[in-house]
Amino acid sequence: MIPDWLTTLAAAGSAALVNAASTDVWQTARERFLRLLGRGDPARTETAARRLDALRRSAEEPGNERALAEARSAWRQRLSDLLEEHPEAAAELRSAIAELPPPRAARVPSVAQENHASGHGTVNAVVNGDQTNIRTAPEAGGG
């Protein structure tokens, strides 16, 4: 069983790698991860190269959020397997992550909302999420 901290490290490595696939640091990231994943074995290195190149192609496609989410999951599992088999690779993975730019935050669209009520009117508004309104009858003589 892989310790929790290695699972967390694999998730961080996956996020950093997938993020780097669409940036100008890709070639550097690719080389680092080839060494990490290949572990000096030509067959493993070739398999890693094919997978990394497929990731790059996927990252370059417009509107690919679902594919990138799937890639993060797949790479998290690959890195978890690697760390389970080679726990000594943790330091190398940490170093590779540190060299890459931090993952970009999701772009949240800007929303402007203006609401007005007059007289005895009520405004209920929500931009994202849920809203529950429970109306009660006014107290007798109070309103």
Side-chain angles (χ1 to χ4, degrees):
M1 173 109 187
I2 188 168
D4 287 344
W5 70 272
L6 284 178
T7 301
T8 302
L9 181 60
S14 172
L17 177 64
V18 172
N19 178 63
S22 63
T23 69
D24 58 355
V25 299
W26 172 246
Q27 203 53 47
T28 301
R30 183 183 184 278
E31 294 304 317
R32 285 296 303 260
F33 277 84
L34 272 179
R35 283 192 306 273
L36 175 70
L37 296 163
R39 310 302 304 155
D41 180 304
R44 286 179 72 143
T45 301
E46 178 59 32
T47 298
R50 280 195 323 272
R51 289 175 173 165
L52 289 166
D53 293 342
L55 171 60
R56 174 66 170 194
R57 285 189 301 276
S58 180
E60 291 178 326
E61 293 176 15
N64 59 357
E65 288 307 312
R66 182 176 177 166
L68 292 180
E70 291 170 1
R72 277 188 291 279
S73 178
W75 282 103
R76 182 176 53 244
Q77 186 60 54
R78 286 183 186 117
L79 292 173
S80 289
D81 291 346
L82 172 74
L83 292 172
E84 186 173 25
E85 186 178 338
H86 300 280
E88 72 280 4
E92 191 177 346
L93 178 55
R94 261 193 228 99
S95 175
I97 293 168
E99 288 183 7
L100 298 176
R104 295 179 302 251
R107 185 175 165 344
V108 178
S110 175
V111 176
Q113 186 178 67
E114 190 173 322
N115 304 292
H116 298 278
S118 61
H120 292 289
T122 301
V123 172
N124 299 301
V126 66
V127 174
N128 291 318
D130 299 321
Q131 183 180 62
T132 303
N133 297 307
I134 302 172
R135 298 192 64 125
T136 59
E139 293 181 26

